[in-house]
Amino acid sequence: MNAVVRAALAEDVGTGDATAALAPGRPARARLICREEAILCGRPWFDAVYRELDRAVGVHWQAQDGDRLLPGQTVCEITGPAPVILTGERTALNFLQTLSGTATLTRRYVDAVAGSAARIFDTRKTLPGLRVAQKYAVRCGGGCNQRMGLFDAMLIKENHIAAAGGITAAVRAARQRHPDLPLQVEVETIEQLTEVLDLGVESVLLDNFDLEQLERAVAVRVAQGRVAALEASGGIGLAEVARIAATGVDRISVGGLTKHVQAVDYSLRIIG
């Protein structure tokens, strides 16, 4: 986190904040307000920005990450030298608005499938350099994380299958090379699903299955007596996520949680 914050500050401040230098160095107080309904996320990164600039700055939070915010709600107050508060404002808000946007969208998906057994998962479709932060935001919104990267779990997709010479060959090679890593296989047809279930894979990604195919997939798993988790994936929006959850799948992965980011509207004002 600290390295990401330092890089963000270097990008914005460069050789120095020319405008903030116009403000007197007297102590100042600022208030941060959320202007729309949202889920708060990003406190550690916000704090880290001001910690990097000047440890004399105090951030006094009135809400926790994961809390639901209302329009006009005060989120925190900041005290410290006026130039430092001004210098850190944009970088700190960039983290907070982006991560709150991810957390807020995640909560909407989680709320949409409430009452079902399905859980909402993220993907690796994250903003470069912000994967740890965005996956944290997904958890703040009530969602679940997939693998962090290519190193901590295996997902065999269509191109891996083609390169390996088929699903069975790909799964066997994966088990031989990395027997301790979680393994998931992406399938595009019911026939492929049947083959994967027979291989004893613990998780199957159902790529772009429609509702009827998802229901069939759940039925096939039951008929084969398997316990593999079934995950729906592929362009899933809020309008259809509840119907997908009702098919009986265990997981629903949504790349849009982290790649279609709509920033939450925050406003910071010097008040004293």
Side-chain angles (χ1 to χ4, degrees), residues 154 156-157 160-176 183 185 199:
M154 301 182 72
I156 297 175
K157 297 173 67 68
H160 300 108
I161 292 169
I167 288 177
T168 298
V171 170
R172 287 175 176 169
R175 293 294 196 202
Q176 182 178 9
L183 175 62
V185 180
L199 294 169

Side-chain angles (χ1 to χ4, degrees), residues 170-187:
V171 170
R172 287 175 176 169
R175 293 294 196 202
Q176 182 178 9
R177 291 176 177 271
H178 300 285
D180 297 327
L181 287 182
L183 175 62
Q184 184 178 54
V185 180
E186 178 185 82
V187 301

Side-chain angles (χ1 to χ4, degrees), residues 1 3 12 29 53 67 125 141 182 213 239 256 259-260:
M1 178 179 65
D12 197 34
R29 185 163 63 100
L53 290 172
D67 285 354
K125 297 174 183 177
Q213 289 174 311
K259 71 172 182 172
H260 298 160

